[in-house]
Amino acid sequence: MLKNKFKILAVTMSLTLMGSLFTGCGTSKTGGNTTGKSTIKVNIAADPKTIDPGLNNSVEGGHVITNAFEGLTNLDKNEKSVPGVAEKWDVSSDGLTYTFHLRKKAKWSDGKTVKASDFEYAWKRALDPKTASQYAYQLFYLKNGEAYNTGKSTAANVGVKATDDYTLVATLESPTPYFISLTAFPTYAPVRKDIVEKNPTTWATKAETYISNGPFKMVEYKQKDSLNFEKNSNYWNAKNVKIDRIEFKTLENESSYYSAFKTGQLDLIDKPPAAEIPGLLKDGTAKSYPYLGTYFYDINVSPQAKGVNSQAAKVLSDARVRKALNLAIDRTSIVEKISKGGEKPATSFVPLGTSDSNGNEFTNKEYLPKTADVSQAKKLLAEAGYPDGKGFPQLEILYNTMQNHQNIAQAVQDMWKKNLGINITLRNVERKVHLTDLQKHNFLLGRDGWIADYNDAMTFLDMFTTGNGNNNTGYSNTKYDQLIAQAKAEPDKAKRAVLLHSAEDQLMTDLPIIPIYYYTEVVCMNKKLKNVHISNLGFFIFRDASLQK
């Protein structure tokens, strides 16, 4: 009886707290807004670590940046590249030189003209080793981009040049069939040199300095609460932007933000509580969208792992152990009994639906079983010197706050105990700490997820090259690095696809990762909110959205 009483009290306190989070905020037209503005409230599930286009590498930050900034191109509702700041472009016959012609009407939110030099500055800033951008490698397609980032060349030699205020010339290392789609990605967005260099560490944390060039501009940033944006009247296509205000909420608890959606305090959420998903999909409250991504665990195989736990680091350096951990997981059980969003068990790292740029779907291999192969897992663990888990050190799974992450971690914990006889502890931290610990390799096993930056297998594979800013595992294999480098330089699409498959073969042999499932994006949306682009690259884009009266 006391447990139930405390539970009721806890729920009451949670609802009271949730109500306080929205006190004083304007409501959407569906809630009777008296200001006459169409305001929507969107939950992004965490306070972004950063919303600096050159530094962000999280989905929550990406939601904000893709609505505040505009690159040379945009993605339309079919994920095709369409003109953005660049109204047109030319490509040389050898596929190495791109000349972008910028709109003369493109303005920053403070009214100043968007210039080609703003792009040149932004791209070179992201490549500058002093910036320490985890996404610097996404600009290695530029001539001498990697050389500059690794200290072997200078900024002046990087293949991007503003030849005048409205012309930007990009020169590539090798022909890159998806380069145009890359120019819509946040890291390729322009930033203003005068703004950034005046406030290098704080410019992206204050409304007065967060000068952007997209359809929305920041008007208020409440840490751990909301990031509030309004329509940017200086945006070149402002007349077609129908949403007046977006409030990006940062609620991390699924029950809290789902309750807020049910009571009309939020207009859009994703990842509702897993137990609710089947019913929400059935009655149409939620919809499942395509999502090019993989949910997985990083295995820390970096030198820093010794500083976390030297004994565990030694054990995890054995490929037989890493494979045993992979084989002992029942992925089908996880997607059917825990996540429940229509996800597919991940038997490889590159997810289903990804292109090989040769006109085919890339994924055609199953490296891992969909259900656990306990006998083979036990055999490998015994060969590594730990029969039935005897003498095996205790490991720890790091994950960020969300009930689904906790449920999956507990399931994996139970599977490894039952199937291998090994003990696992769990560590739950807020998102910012989670991202920092992954980046600094301050973990043994870490919850991770990767969503495509563009529809090509390369976006899932080049992140595991040696020293890559998004390679949280610390994995390093010379053969793998060479295969990725060869694939990037290979103009023949069929040969390139073979090289990428060989790279994934190597990755899935070494297994510095534990793929769990391929994502789906389950979204609950106010039925009066129309034309929101739920991108399969992981962004909510409101450029063309509208809110019916």
Side-chain angles (χ1 to χ4, degrees), residues 106-132:
K107 305 289 184 182
W108 290 97
S109 54
D110 64 357
K112 293 186 178 181
T113 300
V114 177
K115 298 179 180 180
S117 57
D118 297 326
F119 285 92
E120 180 180 354
Y121 169 73
W123 295 7
K124 289 181 177 179
R125 171 179 177 255
L127 282 168
D128 188 338
K130 294 179 182 178
T131 304

Side-chain angles (χ1 to χ4, degrees), residues 11 27 41 71 81 87 92 98 171 204 224 230-231 248 273 277 325 356 359 364 402 417 421 446 468 476 507 510:
V11 170
T27 56
K41 296 180 176 66
S81 299
E87 57 185 354
S92 62
Y98 289 71
T171 306
K224 296 189 176 182
E230 291 185 354
K231 178 178 174 178
F248 292 103
I277 289 176
L325 294 175
D356 68 355
N364 60 9
M402 283 191 86
K417 177 64 175 177
N468 187 291
S476 179
L507 180 70
D510 295 339

Side-chain angles (χ1 to χ4, degrees), residues 82-109:
V82 295
V85 175
E87 57 185 354
K88 60 181 180 179
W89 51 86
D90 307 309
V91 185
S92 62
S93 58
D94 61 5
L96 293 176
T97 304
Y98 289 71
T99 303
F100 297 93
H101 305 281
L102 278 57
R103 301 176 188 276
K104 293 184 179 179
K105 292 183 179 180
K107 305 289 184 182
W108 290 97
S109 54

Side-chain angles (χ1 to χ4, degrees), residues 142-155:
L142 298 175
K143 188 73 173 179
N144 292 315
E146 184 174 10
Y148 172 46
N149 182 254
T150 55
K152 298 176 182 176
S153 189
T154 65

Side-chain angles (χ1 to χ4, degrees), residues 396-410:
E396 178 187 76
I397 296 176
L398 169 74
Y399 65 96
N400 58 297
T401 303
M402 283 191 86
Q403 190 62 47
N404 187 58
H405 300 327
Q406 178 174 307
N407 293 344
I408 292 173
Q410 289 175 340

Side-chain angles (χ1 to χ4, degrees), residues 418-490:
K418 177 183 177 182
N419 297 336
L420 297 176
I422 62 178
N423 296 313
I424 305 294
T425 60
L426 308 180
R427 178 160 62 100
N428 172 23
V429 297
E430 67 175 17
R431 180 64 162 155
K432 286 185 178 181
V433 175
H434 172 245
L435 289 171
T436 298
D437 282 352
L438 290 180
Q439 181 184 359
K440 294 184 176 180
H441 308 296
N442 183 31
F443 69 97
L444 294 174
L445 303 164
R447 200 291 299 181
D448 211 339
W450 190 255
I451 312 302
D453 299 333
Y454 47 91
N455 189 0
D456 188 277
M458 182 64 79
T459 189
F460 289 96
L461 297 174
D462 64 353
M463 64 184 284
F464 291 107
T465 53
T466 301
N468 187 291
N470 286 315
N471 183 359
N472 296 323
T473 68
Y475 173 65
S476 179
N477 183 302
T478 302
K479 180 181 177 182
Y480 185 83
D481 294 346
Q482 291 173 344
L483 287 167
I484 294 298
Q486 289 169 12
K488 286 187 172 182
E490 179 54 64

Side-chain angles (χ1 to χ4, degrees), residues 149-203:
N149 182 254
T150 55
K152 298 176 182 176
S153 189
T154 65
N157 294 326
V158 175
V160 57
K161 181 69 176 177
T163 57
D164 59 46
D165 284 349
Y166 303 104
T167 309
L168 185 76
V169 178
T171 306
L172 309 187
E173 288 278 0
S174 304
T176 305
Y178 45 85
F179 183 71
I180 288 296
S181 63
L182 271 173
T183 62
F185 191 70
T187 313
Y188 279 79
V191 293
R192 281 256 297 279
K193 182 177 181 179
D194 60 320
I195 297 294
V196 175
E197 297 196 347
K198 186 176 180 180
N199 305 280
T201 60
T202 62
W203 77 274

Side-chain angles (χ1 to χ4, degrees), residues 258 261-262 269 271-288 340 522-524 527:
Y258 175 57
F261 174 78
K262 288 196 297 181
I269 66 170
K271 303 175 181 64
E276 305 287 347
I277 289 176
L280 294 171
L281 291 172
K282 185 176 181 180
D283 68 17
T285 302
K287 182 178 178 181
S288 181
K340 301 180 181 179
V522 178
V523 174
C524 298
K527 294 185 183 302

